[in-house]
Amino acid sequence: MSVKKMTDSGIEIKACYTADDLAGFQLSQEMPGQFPYTRGVQPDMYRGKLWTMRQYAGFSTAEESNKRYHYLLSQGVMGLSVAFDLPTQIGYDSDHALSEGEVGKVGVAIDSLEDMELLFKGIQLEQVSTSMTINATGFILLAMYVALAKKQGANLNKIAGTIQNDILKEYAARGTYIYPPKPSMRIITDIFEWCSTSLPKWNTISISGYHIREAGSTAVQEIAFTLSNGKAYVEAALAKGLDINVFGKRLSFFFNAHNNLFEEVAKFRAARKMWASIMKELGATDEKAMMLRFHTQTGGATLTAQQPLNNISRVTIQTLAAVLGGTQSLHTNGYDEALSLPTEEAARIALRTQQIVAFESGAPDTVDPLAGSYFVESLTTEVENKAWDLMNKITAMGGSVSAIEQGFMQEEIARSAFEYQRNIESGDKIIVGVNKFTIDKENPVPGFKIDDSIRQLQTVKLAELKSKRDQVKVDQCLRAIKAAASGTTNLMPLVVEAVETYCTLGEIADTLRQVYGEHR
């Protein structure tokens, strides 16, 4: 008698799949590049253009991160992906008391436009696509990026990239929020509105399931919660009177890739189909406004500190899942990231993994290569149905904001994380090198460490900046932002003007704290 097999989402996997599992399924009606986009958002997918190969990087000072960006570009990276340190993410300058011990640690410290200028020194923004993993302060970092592009003489109509800007998942899974949900949603819709005319190629939000998965959700929960959050953003924009066929084209998503190759492929395919239906129901008529375009990052939570070189194999499987699932952009984690920030060698191997899949594996040669598989098509339907069930529960609660305020998403994620860990500890789930195939003694892997002196360097730079800027203009800009936040004026033009006057990130964030308060 065969052993019962289940995915982490609770989907039972049969020993064998046949045509009977696809009863009523009309594969010929679902073609890539056509609604509902189950098979991909482009008719030719990677035959026309490969996914954008990114490497998420940022640490220490802007100068040090700039060196890593130039190195990655020299190694074949197609787009940059910026990691910011914790103080930058939650709106504190490096010299703030709460920043101590965190400056430059999990990302680069950006306090002002001066730092942004150093971060992209020697890089023409018009010629590179940049993704910035930033949420609560995303509007400030976007303003700095635009201010730098203007200083470079760039055509803003050609500036391409993404800010994550997804605050709902911060309340549900990650925690780097500042303001309460309602004003946070206002800032996001201000970004949607402003970018639609001032920065038309910019992806105004990357609705993120990645951190939901990192917090312990299943694949089904990842897409159900993420698409529910996406729906909430669309509804907020519609309530503001924005055109879904305009802002809908600039929405992007950010998903995780885990080790169960087939469930991950099914997840990506199901998410595309579901989002197309959601957008159509909300009133979208433009095909591009119904397409789910997404970036993928391999699963950080799947990496092990034990036998870290095993992580290269894990990342390879996850890379294949993303590519077979039709991602538009991909970051591959370094094998040493369970121990420290990635070393240069680990970042290079991670990039080479993408390049080997792209140029040696044959995976990109045809569109949606697993389409028609009895197993994959059946699994796609199962993932979709389970995700709809979960989304319907959230809708019945009043949508994502209400579900988060009631703690529903947080409790569901915590329950799944507990179950996953319990299965590892019981041995029901095998993690190679952790609870099976262990070794007594491991050779140490050299880590990448950040010096605590970074805060001192940033503090000196801030003092020098404040001594030479026009304080009268700074005060005028901050007063204007405060007045706009109290009313309905779009904040973005005022924030761009403020960063051009060298107001700091912390000063702008604190100005809004005076109006909105902080979420507790």
Side-chain angles (χ1 to χ4, degrees), residues 158-214:
K158 296 181 179 179
I159 295 296
T162 306
I163 44 170
Q164 193 161 103
N165 197 31
D166 176 5
I167 204 65
L168 291 178
K169 67 94 176 49
E170 296 296 328
Y171 301 121
R174 191 161 175 265
T176 63
Y177 46 74
I178 303 174
Y179 315 113
K182 190 173 181 180
S184 294
M185 294 291 277
R186 177 258 170 99
I187 293 170
I188 288 168
T189 54
D190 276 3
I191 293 169
F192 287 2
E193 182 179 48
W194 182 77
C195 285
S196 67
T197 54
S198 300
L199 215 62
K201 289 186 71 176
W202 193 264
N203 295 324
T204 52
I205 193 167
S206 178
I207 305 157
S208 176
Y210 184 84
H211 304 96
I212 290 170
R213 193 68 176 279
E214 288 292 287

Side-chain angles (χ1 to χ4, degrees), residues 355-376:
Q355 292 164 337
I356 289 167
V357 169
F359 300 108
E360 298 184 27
S361 74
D365 292 349
T366 190
V367 182
D368 194 19
L370 297 183
S373 156
Y374 300 144
F375 177 38
V376 171

Side-chain angles (χ1 to χ4, degrees), residues 461-516:
K461 283 164 64 177
L462 277 165
E464 290 175 352
L465 173 70
K466 290 177 180 180
S467 71
K468 65 186 180 185
R469 68 185 183 178
D470 187 331
Q471 191 61 40
V472 173
K473 286 186 177 179
V474 166
D475 294 339
Q476 288 174 345
C477 288
L478 295 176
R479 283 196 299 270
I481 290 172
K482 187 174 182 180
S486 302
T488 58
T489 302
N490 193 299
L491 290 167
M492 283 305 299
L494 299 170
V495 177
V496 173
E497 183 180 359
V499 300
E500 288 176 329
T501 312
Y502 291 93
C503 294
T504 69
L505 175 134
E507 289 170 336
I508 296 169
D510 281 346
T511 297
L512 294 187
R513 281 186 177 97
Q514 293 171 28
V515 181
Y516 298 143

Side-chain angles (χ1 to χ4, degrees), residues 401-462:
V401 175
S402 296
I404 289 166
E405 288 174 342
Q406 294 174 46
F408 173 74
M409 288 191 191
Q410 299 93 313
E411 289 172 7
E412 288 289 304
I413 294 167
R415 190 178 297 112
S416 294
F418 175 78
E419 185 68 22
Y420 184 85
Q421 187 60 35
R422 185 170 65 180
N423 287 336
I424 292 173
E425 291 175 4
S426 68
D428 290 339
K429 185 172 187 66
I430 293 171
I431 306 295
V432 173
V434 176
N435 62 355
K436 197 164 187 179
F437 312 114
T438 58
I439 54 179
D440 294 330
K441 187 177 180 181
E442 297 191 38
N443 295 323
V445 174
F448 188 82
K449 303 299 180 187
I450 302 297
D451 198 301
D452 283 327
S453 65
I454 302 304
R455 183 168 184 255
Q456 296 168 357
L457 294 172
Q458 288 296 112
T459 299
V460 170
K461 283 164 64 177
L462 277 165

